[in-house]
């Protein structure tokens, strides 16, 4: 289809040819038995064939395959025994090639290690390529994290962009909602808007925080 894709996370890579399409199209196409790729006309690989293809493409230096194989190693999926160290090394190879999903994933790892400056660098690089979760995480860093200079105005700008286009990272909506309570970052104080974004978080997040549920229910 010709629908625009605003978020690189909304794309899926066909293993047969490495081309990207919108995830919704990919899901509907691959769900069909004996379906063929509309871009290269090859038959979609079965689940048992996927790992072999990913490994082969990763050895060829394909960034998307290096990331996918690294994620597979880290999580222990597709029959692979989990090996987080090996997985991270593969992800870093994809990062070196500028693959935004890998940059975002590694940013989250660095964030979990309290390495805020490196996480910020990775989120900024991924965000510049249209990765909306990275935009949201970057906004959250500016709003909340130690080790990065707090900037409420920039945080609100980034969180607003991400909230408009990102449908799955519900923490973005929660953080933006919190900004409306005191009127941070140049926003006009609005409890109505705060509740709107916090309730959006509850609706899209399987495990919203207790604080978000408390505020959304009491404001």
């Amino acid at each position: 289809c010709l629908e625009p894709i605003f978020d690189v996370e909304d794309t899926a890579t066909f293993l047969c040819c490495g081309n990207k399409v919108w995830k919704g199209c990919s899901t509907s196409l691959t769900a069909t038995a004996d379906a063929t790729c509309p871009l290269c006309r090859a038959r979609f690989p079965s689940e048992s064939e996927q790992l072999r293809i990913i490994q082969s493409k990763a050895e060829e230096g394909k960034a998307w395959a290096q990331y996918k194989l690294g994620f597979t190693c880290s999580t222990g999926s597709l029959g692979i025994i989990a090996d987080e160290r090996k997985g991270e090394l593969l992800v870093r190879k994809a990062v070196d090639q500028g693959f935004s999903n890998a940059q975002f994933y590694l940013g989250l790892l660095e964030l979990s290690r309290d390495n805020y400056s490196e996480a910020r660098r990775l989120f900024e690089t991924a965000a510049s390529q249209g990765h909306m979760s990275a935009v949201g995480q970057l906004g959250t860093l500016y709003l909340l994290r130690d080790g990065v200079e707090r900037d409420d105005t920039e945080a609100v700008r980034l969180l607003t962009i991400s909230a408009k286009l990102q449908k799955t990272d519900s923490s973005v909506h929660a953080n933006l909602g919190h900004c409306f309570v005191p009127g941070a970052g140049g926003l006009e104080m609005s409890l109505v808007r705060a509740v709107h974004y916090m309730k959006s978080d509850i609706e899209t997040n399987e495990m919203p925080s207790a604080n978000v549920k408390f505020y959304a229910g009491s404001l």
Side-chain angles (χ1 to χ4, degrees):
C1 67
L2 300 178
E3 290 293 323
I5 298 175
F6 297 104
D7 185 356
V8 295
E9 284 186 284
D10 283 338
T11 63
T13 302
F14 285 145
L15 298 184
C16 47
C17 58
N19 286 311
K20 292 182 179 180
V21 296
W22 181 58
K23 282 183 179 179
C25 293
S26 172
T27 301
S28 61
L29 285 168
T30 55
T32 306
D34 298 323
T36 57
C37 174
L39 303 178
C40 73
R41 303 303 178 186
R43 179 182 61 82
F44 285 129
S46 64
E47 186 172 335
S48 61
E49 297 171 317
Q50 290 178 17
L51 179 58
R52 176 183 59 79
I53 293 173
I54 294 170
Q55 289 173 325
S56 176
K57 296 294 184 182
E59 290 173 0
E60 293 175 10
K62 301 294 185 183
W64 63 267
Q66 291 170 337
Y67 166 68
K68 189 175 286 290
L69 184 58
F71 184 81
T72 299
C73 287
S74 296
T75 57
S77 54
L78 292 180
I80 291 182
I81 298 176
D83 186 334
E84 293 183 1
R85 183 175 180 277
K86 180 180 178 181
E88 183 176 337
L89 290 175
L90 286 163
V91 170
R92 287 185 179 276
K93 289 184 178 181
V95 167
D96 291 340
Q97 294 195 63
F99 193 65
S100 61
N101 283 343
Q103 292 163 343
F104 175 69
Y105 180 78
L106 188 58
L108 291 178
L109 287 181
E110 296 296 352
L111 196 61
S112 70
R113 298 163 179 163
D114 294 338
N115 190 352
Y116 298 115
S117 60
E118 179 62 8
R120 174 185 173 181
R121 184 187 71 81
L122 289 161
F123 290 147
E124 285 178 336
T125 306
S128 69
Q129 299 182 64
H131 197 291
M132 285 299 108
S133 284
V135 173
Q137 283 290 341
L138 190 57
T140 300
L141 274 180
Y142 279 118
L143 184 67
L144 302 174
R145 295 295 182 183
D146 294 329
V148 177
E149 185 177 352
R150 180 164 177 153
D151 187 335
D152 287 353
T153 301
E154 182 65 0
V156 167
R157 185 184 74 83
L158 293 169
L159 290 170
T160 300
I161 292 172
S162 185
K164 287 181 178 178
L165 298 176
Q166 169 59 253
K167 299 179 177 61
T168 57
D169 189 356
S170 57
S171 63
V172 168
H173 296 86
N175 289 329
L176 186 56
H178 281 293
C179 290
F180 275 101
V181 176
L187 291 174
E188 182 179 350
M189 186 178 71
S190 173
L191 300 186
V192 173
R193 298 285 284 173
V195 169
H196 167 76
Y197 282 107
M198 289 181 190
K199 284 187 174 179
S200 179
D201 171 46
I202 293 173
E203 291 169 358
T204 56
N205 191 351
E206 292 182 0
M207 297 182 65
S209 72
N211 284 342
V212 168
K213 289 190 288 186
F214 171 78
Y215 278 113
S218 61
L219 290 177

